[in-house]
Amino acid sequence: ESETVEFKESALQSTKSGKSRPHTIVRAIAGLANARGGTLLIGVKDDGTVSGIAAEVEANAKGRDGWELNLFTKLKDVIGAAAASALQLRFQQFGGVEVAVVRVPPSPVPVYVRHDGEQLLFVRIGNQCLALDAKQAKDYCAKRWP
């Protein structure tokens, strides 16, 4: 992982309520979009081991198309349609295992994450995505989008 590359083992995470939510995916996408952009590889563990997305795709009754639809629906709901529509998704084989490659362009406007009634601004700092507090977000936005 780096300033422009993020690995995620899966796209949809189960919560205690049983609902699927892509929180780590959303943070990664927003952080990359609010910085220089980059690439998110879904189906790759933090240590670089390629696990693939087959289990998630198979768990979706509608296969890969349903998995993609589910992912983009959730992204649209959390980061907005404009930010979600800027993403480019493709599927690629690595050693016989399929991963999802999401290209995240740098955003021309801030991408906020809706969570628990708040609008959070995530940025990429090194190889991690961090939420900024109100003052930090204001200062960052003034420098990034003058």
Side-chain angles (χ1 to χ4, degrees), residues 69-130:
L69 179 64
N70 189 23
L71 175 65
F72 274 95
T73 298
K74 291 182 184 306
L75 289 171
K76 175 187 64 72
D77 292 345
V78 179
I79 63 172
S85 70
L87 304 175
Q88 300 168 1
L89 172 69
R90 66 182 164 82
F91 297 94
Q92 187 162 339
Q93 294 286 326
F94 286 101
V97 178
E98 186 174 54
V99 299
V101 180
V102 181
R103 172 72 184 111
V104 182
S107 180
V109 296
V111 173
Y112 291 94
V113 174
R114 291 183 203 103
H115 182 68
D116 289 341
E118 294 186 277
Q119 298 281 333
L120 305 173
L121 185 76
F122 286 88
V123 297
R124 190 81 177 166
I125 299 174
N127 66 348
Q128 60 183 334
C129 292
L130 300 173

